[in-house]
């Protein structure tokens, strides 16, 4: 489990805990989308339906990978 600090919307600092595998996928998605981790987490945070940000990130990654598989 890796704990990382992120800044949401350029002003709110928080930390998230993700397993290494999810952290690696989050980095890969950010790179694919030409975004920083902070930008991607801000995007996920703005659309999340779950209380917990780490859970929202995991679900985002899962949906992203499933969508990618369909193409």
């Amino acid at each position: 489990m890796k704990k990382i600090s992120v800044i949401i919307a350029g002003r709110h600092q928080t930390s998230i805990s993700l397993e290494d595998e999810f952290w690696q996928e989050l980095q890969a998605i950010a790179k694919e989308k030409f975004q920083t981790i902070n930008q991607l987490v801000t995007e996920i945070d703005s659309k999340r339906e779950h209380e917990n940000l780490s859970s929202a990130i995991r679900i985002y990654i899962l949906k992203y990978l499933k969508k990618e598989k369909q193409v």
Side-chain angles (χ1 to χ4, degrees):
M1 184 80 65
K2 184 176 250 180
K3 191 170 195 162
I4 57 168
S5 292
V6 294
I7 299 174
I8 298 172
R11 64 183 183 278
H12 176 72
Q13 186 169 354
T14 191
S15 60
I16 53 177
S17 295
L18 293 173
E19 294 78 6
D20 288 337
E21 295 83 359
F22 282 105
W23 172 238
Q24 291 167 7
E25 288 300 329
L26 186 67
Q27 290 177 304
I29 292 168
K31 187 176 180 180
E32 239 177 69
K33 295 179 77 170
F34 301 101
Q35 292 181 315
T36 65
I37 293 295
N38 289 339
Q39 289 169 328
L40 182 54
V41 171
T42 296
E43 177 186 322
I44 295 166
D45 182 61
S46 71
K47 298 174 183 174
R48 74 174 152 150
E49 299 170 6
H50 306 277
E51 276 303 306
N52 184 289
L53 180 57
S54 294
S55 294
I57 291 170
R58 287 184 193 92
I59 291 169
Y60 175 88
I61 292 168
L62 178 64
K63 287 180 178 179
Y64 187 90
L65 293 175
K66 286 176 83 172
K67 184 178 175 186
E68 200 174 71
K69 241 181 160 177
Q70 293 175 354
V71 175

